Amino acid sequence: MITQIDFQIAQKRALEYLQRAGIAITPGDAENIEVADYGLGELWQTGLELLTYLHSDRVCARELVLLPWQTCPEHLHPTMDGQAGKEETIRCRWGTVYLYTPGRPAPSPRARPPENRTRYYSVWHETVLRPGDQVTLSPDTKHWFQSGAAGAVISEFSNACGEEYDLFTDPGIQRVTLVNGD
Amino acid sequence: MITQIDFQIAQKRALEYLQRAGIAITPGDAENIEVADYGLGELWQTGLELLTYLHSDRVCARELVLLPWQTCPEHLHPTMDGQAGKEETIRCRWGTVYLYTPGRPAPSPRARPPENRTRYYSVWHETVLRPGDQVTLSPDTKHWFQSGAAGAVISEFSNACGEEYDLFTDPGIQRVTLVNGD
């Protein structure tokens, strides 16, 4: 759970990042920026801000904002009942993103998961994304990412796939963010 | 067919537009900007420049550049063999876009199709897209669009769907662009 004030601060900072990245948004978009704390109540460490342009039953497109050193925690999009899970492409628009996936672990990873949660991070193959760099993640692929000191703006393109099915490594995580006073 | 020189000019101008719109692209992206003349050989009137980020068998994401008054000609994405056609969302990033779809015709449309091709434009319901505005077009919906005097940059998000099946109103159109000397 996050407080109403933290929600508003995160939304305002995300808006500033989108503007800094030169992304044109409408006043309606600004109000629709979603703040996710993944249920941990440690938003400035584990969290993400999202502006969804489109989430139909076929396609999803959105901008993700990571505030400085904010982490999108390790998860995967599972194949279910023979239906392939979400295929997700992330493209760095602004800032630097450290992305971790299965594979040879980085000897000195540049990102650090939140200290009290490190045990829930199991994949350590590092890809550094700078503006214009992109990676496509297949379904069923564990991944997590963190921004550098400057924060980051990322475009995400994917097929539509219910986020309620995302599998997080950290058992304390819930995808739905509750705001105090809701 | 277009000349090698026109191809290079269009690619270079499209790159400038993407930069002006604040879109970070890599040197590889710059080389991959596609120039489409729709086979008419009248690129500065009927044409489009495209930077495709992703075209998997599930999702397509790209940036479209319209040079000043350039027109993406009237077409639709057909449902075939029970497979729904392309669902396409276009979001204006920079400049102004005049979009035309079926519905009540605009009494004084702001765009003008190329003069020698006007008879191949049949839908005249006008939507003006400014930065941050977006529209989702259902499959089987005729549409065409033109930029204003300043040109435009547009993001397109869609499910993947073979462009070879696009149906153009103008029978002279071919989706594949030939460059002289290819």
Side-chain angles (χ1 to χ4, degrees):
Chain A
M1 183 177 289
I2 57 174
T3 64
Q4 189 62 246
I5 287 180
D6 277 349
F7 173 81
Q8 286 168 4
I9 292 173
Q11 209 182 42
K12 183 164 177 294
R13 291 188 68 191
L15 175 60
E16 289 163 0
Y17 271 94
L18 291 168
Q19 289 168 335
R20 208 174 298 173
I23 292 171
I25 62 174
T26 65
D29 291 334
E31 286 175 16
N32 286 332
I33 294 172
E34 185 193 348
V35 176
D37 81 335
Y38 298 93
L40 297 180
E42 301 165 352
L43 177 63
W44 312 115
Q45 289 78 46
T46 301
L48 191 63
E49 292 71 36
L50 307 95
L51 173 59
T52 299
Y53 293 143
L54 163 73
H55 196 166
S56 74
D57 57 357
R58 304 173 82 184
V59 183
C60 179
R62 50 195 185 180
E63 310 289 0
L64 312 178
V65 177
L66 286 170
L67 301 176
W69 301 111
Q70 208 176 26
T71 303
C72 175
E74 187 175 293
H75 65 288
L76 61 79
H77 309 289
T79 294
M80 292 181 71
D81 300 330
Q83 285 276 62
K86 184 164 92 167
E87 173 199 283
E88 173 180 344
T89 296
I90 60 175
R91 181 177 171 94
C92 179
R93 297 290 196 171
W94 191 94
T96 304
V97 180
Y98 305 117
L99 169 70
Y100 298 87
T101 51
R104 196 166 55 84
S108 306
R110 296 190 225 196
R112 304 226 167 148
E115 270 186 25
N116 57 336
R117 300 271 161 200
T118 306
R119 65 190 179 284
Y120 300 124
Y121 288 77
S122 67
V123 294
W124 289 95
H125 181 72
E126 182 175 82
T127 307
V128 180
L129 302 174
R130 298 202 166 81
D133 294 334
Q134 67 180 53
V135 168
T136 296
L137 301 161
S138 302
D140 305 300
T141 303
K142 277 189 182 172
H143 58 284
W144 62 280
F145 45 94
Q146 187 177 79
S147 71
V153 178
I154 301 163
S155 291
E156 185 196 79
F157 314 118
S158 71
N159 59 306
C161 199
E163 295 190 314
E164 60 274 30
Y165 304 121
D166 289 355
L167 293 180
F168 290 89
T169 307
D170 185 338
I173 284 182
Q174 296 172 332
R175 181 58 186 85
V176 178
T177 296
L178 299 175
V179 180
N180 198 354
D182 269 9
Chain B
M1 185 176 289
I2 58 174
T3 64
Q4 190 62 246
I5 288 180
D6 276 350
F7 174 82
Q8 286 168 4
I9 292 172
Q11 210 182 40
K12 183 163 177 291
R13 291 187 69 190
L15 176 60
E16 290 164 359
Y17 271 94
L18 291 168
Q19 289 168 335
R20 207 174 298 173
I23 291 171
I25 63 174
T26 64
D29 290 336
E31 285 174 17
N32 285 332
I33 295 171
E34 184 194 349
V35 176
D37 81 335
Y38 298 94
L40 297 181
E42 300 164 354
L43 177 64
W44 312 115
Q45 290 77 48
T46 302
L48 191 63
E49 292 70 37
L50 307 95
L51 172 58
T52 299
Y53 293 142
L54 164 72
H55 196 166
S56 75
D57 57 356
R58 303 172 82 185
V59 184
C60 180
R62 51 195 184 180
E63 310 290 0
L64 312 178
V65 177
L66 286 170
L67 301 175
W69 300 112
Q70 208 177 24
T71 303
C72 174
E74 186 174 294
H75 65 288
L76 61 80
H77 309 289
T79 293
M80 291 181 71
D81 301 329
Q83 285 277 61
K86 183 163 93 166
E87 174 198 283
E88 172 180 345
T89 296
I90 59 175
R91 180 177 173 95
C92 179
R93 297 289 193 170
W94 191 94
T96 304
V97 180
Y98 305 117
L99 169 70
Y100 298 87
T101 51
R104 196 167 55 84
S108 306
R110 295 188 225 197
R112 304 225 169 148
E115 271 187 23
N116 56 337
R117 301 272 162 200
T118 306
R119 64 190 179 285
Y120 300 124
Y121 289 78
S122 67
V123 294
W124 289 95
H125 181 71
E126 182 176 80
T127 306
V128 180
L129 301 175
R130 298 202 166 81
D133 293 335
Q134 68 180 53
V135 168
T136 296
L137 300 160
S138 301
D140 305 299
T141 303
K142 276 189 182 170
H143 58 284
W144 63 279
F145 45 94
Q146 188 177 79
S147 72
V153 178
I154 301 163
S155 291
E156 184 195 79
F157 315 118
S158 70
N159 59 306
C161 199
E163 295 190 315
E164 60 274 30
Y165 305 122
D166 289 355
L167 294 179
F168 289 89
T169 308
D170 185 338
I173 284 182
Q174 296 172 333
R175 180 60 185 84
V176 178
T177 296
L178 298 176
V179 180
N180 199 354
D182 268 9

